[in-house]
């Protein structure tokens, strides 16, 4: 009986992990290209954003993104981070942490801060319902990290109505802005699945779409820090402008220092996401 219980718990854990991962349907490690055709909806009458949040002093934030000239852009066909300028180093990698802030995001933020490694945390609304979790998100933001939108409920956007897609994206932006004082500039759809309509909403919200070029921490053989750190720095997909997908997970949190050090040992600079162009191009 005990054994069966254990199996049930393991199964539930597996299902949970499967539910939260971003693996595209095609199970290679490249960015997914799955996209659904959606008809363009009528103008909606969504309320204007209530800009009542307090402006916090920027002294806590090491990265002052407002005065920076963009040096990079996200290639919208392969999600590579490309230099816009000759003076920008092309041997860069971008760190991103999805499904945050669940259990390990704050610890991961402190690890990255210690290593002076910038990153984007892609956040879900269901993780920031309590005041405690909202404070935690604020802390990550104040440590200087960029907060991206990963939808309110980690929805597969191709399986819900246009109205629901809009709510998944816009309501999360409203909530994040309320907490951090800043509206997200990057959007990553769960499972890498956008629709024409979600792209339109992201554009209306002034967000740049961003999938990823590789990641491994959702595959069972890499749910272990040593193996994960090893593949993240030795994969053939590590090339200039690589866009690394990681998650708020125990083994990833544990592997993080090795991943950062390994990338740097190979000559990769970790790109500051506040240098990525988010203007309407
Ligand atoms: Zn996700």
């Amino acid at each position: 009986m005990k054994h069966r219980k254990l199996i049930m718990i393991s199964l539930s854990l597996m299902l949970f992990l499967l539910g939260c991962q971003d693996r595209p349907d095609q199970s290679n490690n490249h960015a997914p290209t799955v996209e659904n055709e959606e008809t363009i909806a009528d103008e909606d009458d969504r309320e204007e954003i209530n800009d009542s949040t307090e402006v916090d002093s920027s002294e806590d934030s090491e990265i002052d993104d407002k005065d920076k000239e963009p040096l990079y852009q996200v290639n919208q066909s392969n999600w590579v981070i490309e230099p816009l300028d000759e003076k920008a180093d092309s041997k860069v990698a971008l760190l991103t942490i999805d499904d945050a802030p669940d259990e390990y995001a704050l610890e991961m933020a402190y690890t990255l801060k210690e290593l002076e490694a910038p990153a984007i945390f892609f956040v879900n609304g269901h993780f920031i319902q309590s005041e405690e979790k909202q404070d935690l998100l604020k802390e990550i933001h104040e440590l200087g990290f960029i907060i991206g939108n990963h939808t309110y409920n980690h929805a597969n956007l191709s399986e819900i109505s246009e109205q629901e897609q809009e709510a998944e994206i816009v309501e999360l932006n409203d909530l994040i802005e309320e907490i951090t004082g800043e509206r997200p500039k990057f959007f990553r759809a769960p499972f890498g699945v956008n629709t024409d309509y979600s792209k339109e909403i992201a554009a209306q919200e002034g967000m740049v779409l961003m999938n990823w070029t590789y990641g491994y921490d959702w595959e069972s053989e890499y749910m272990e820090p040593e193996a994960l750190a090893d593949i993240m720095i030795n994969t053939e997909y590590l090339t200039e402008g690589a866009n690394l997908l990681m998650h708020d997970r125990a083994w990833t949190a544990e592997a993080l220092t090795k991943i950062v050090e390994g990338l740097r040992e190979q000559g990769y600079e970790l790109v500051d996401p506040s240098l990525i162009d988010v203007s309407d191009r």
Side-chain angles (χ1 to χ4, degrees):
M1 278 299 120
K2 244 183 190 173
H3 195 63
R4 175 175 288 183
K5 204 170 177 188
L6 202 68
I7 290 172
M8 288 306 289
I9 292 168
S10 310
L11 266 174
S12 326
L13 185 68
M14 282 292 289
L15 285 171
F16 171 76
L17 290 168
L18 282 169
C20 289
Q21 69 187 222
D22 289 294
R23 179 168 53 181
D25 290 340
Q26 310 93 324
S27 58
N28 67 23
N29 291 300
H30 277 111
T33 49
V34 186
E35 278 165 13
N36 293 63
E37 292 297 317
E38 292 275 346
T39 48
I40 291 167
D42 297 334
E43 273 286 295
D44 59 79
D45 53 358
R46 168 161 55 83
E47 277 177 53
E48 279 301 316
I49 302 132
N50 178 11
D51 191 19
S52 62
T53 35
E54 286 173 20
V55 179
D56 59 337
S57 89
S58 60
E59 67 183 24
D60 287 331
S61 171
E62 297 233 323
I63 299 164
D64 187 0
D65 31 314
K66 288 169 191 78
D67 304 326
K68 289 183 180 173
E69 272 290 303
L71 289 178
Y72 295 92
Q73 66 181 357
V74 184
N75 182 320
Q76 294 289 302
S77 61
N78 59 13
W79 314 111
V80 162
I81 308 303
E82 298 174 335
L84 280 169
D85 197 294
E86 280 174 7
K87 65 185 175 193
D89 186 357
S90 61
K91 197 169 179 184
V92 294
L94 174 68
L95 302 180
T96 67
I97 317 284
D98 281 19
D99 302 2
D102 188 4
E103 285 187 50
Y104 303 95
L106 187 62
E107 175 193 332
M108 292 170 94
Y110 274 101
T111 300
L112 292 169
K113 177 81 176 173
E114 183 79 21
L115 295 162
E116 295 180 30
I120 304 176
F121 284 79
F122 280 100
V123 165
N124 296 112
H126 63 84
F127 288 130
I128 46 172
Q129 294 302 298
S130 69
E131 199 178 322
E132 189 191 351
K133 293 301 282 292
Q134 294 183 358
D135 288 346
L136 192 148
L137 179 66
K138 195 163 193 275
E139 193 171 346
I140 294 172
H141 177 256
E142 284 174 357
L143 284 168
F145 295 98
I146 300 288
I147 306 301
N149 182 322
H150 194 42
T151 73
Y152 213 103
N153 296 299
H154 208 274
N156 185 327
L157 296 168
S158 69
E159 293 172 356
I160 58 177
S161 70
E162 292 186 343
Q163 198 182 357
E164 287 166 329
Q165 291 177 57
E166 182 175 347
E168 283 288 332
I169 298 167
V170 179
E171 286 176 17
L172 178 57
N173 271 1
D174 290 346
L175 180 57
I176 291 174
E177 187 178 24
E178 209 176 287
I179 296 165
T180 67
E182 205 175 326
R183 217 163 170 80
K185 294 285 187 205
F186 296 101
F187 178 64
R188 177 174 279 163
F191 320 104
V193 179
N194 266 295
T195 65
D196 286 345
Y197 190 69
S198 70
K199 288 180 187 172
E200 201 183 304
I201 296 296
Q204 277 173 24
E205 287 286 305
M207 292 191 289
V208 170
L209 299 177
M210 181 184 279
N211 283 3
W212 60 93
T213 66
Y214 74 83
Y216 293 91
D217 67 356
W218 58 87
E219 292 180 14
S220 54
E221 60 186 301
Y222 301 115
M223 290 179 180
E224 187 276 308
E226 290 291 326
L228 179 62
D230 184 61
I231 189 73
M232 288 299 283
I233 57 187
N234 293 310
T235 173
E236 62 185 300
Y237 298 118
L238 174 58
T239 50
E240 291 190 352
N243 188 333
L244 279 60
L245 169 60
M246 297 178 281
H247 292 82
D248 178 323
R249 299 276 187 266
W251 48 92
T252 312
E254 230 178 291
L256 204 49
T257 300
K258 276 195 176 155
I259 293 171
V260 169
E261 287 172 350
L263 293 168
R264 286 176 170 161
E265 273 163 27
Q266 293 195 44
Y268 284 88
E269 190 194 324
L270 298 171
V271 69
D272 175 354
S274 65
L275 293 175
I276 298 174
D277 190 7
V278 291
S279 63
D280 206 8
R281 274 169 286 132

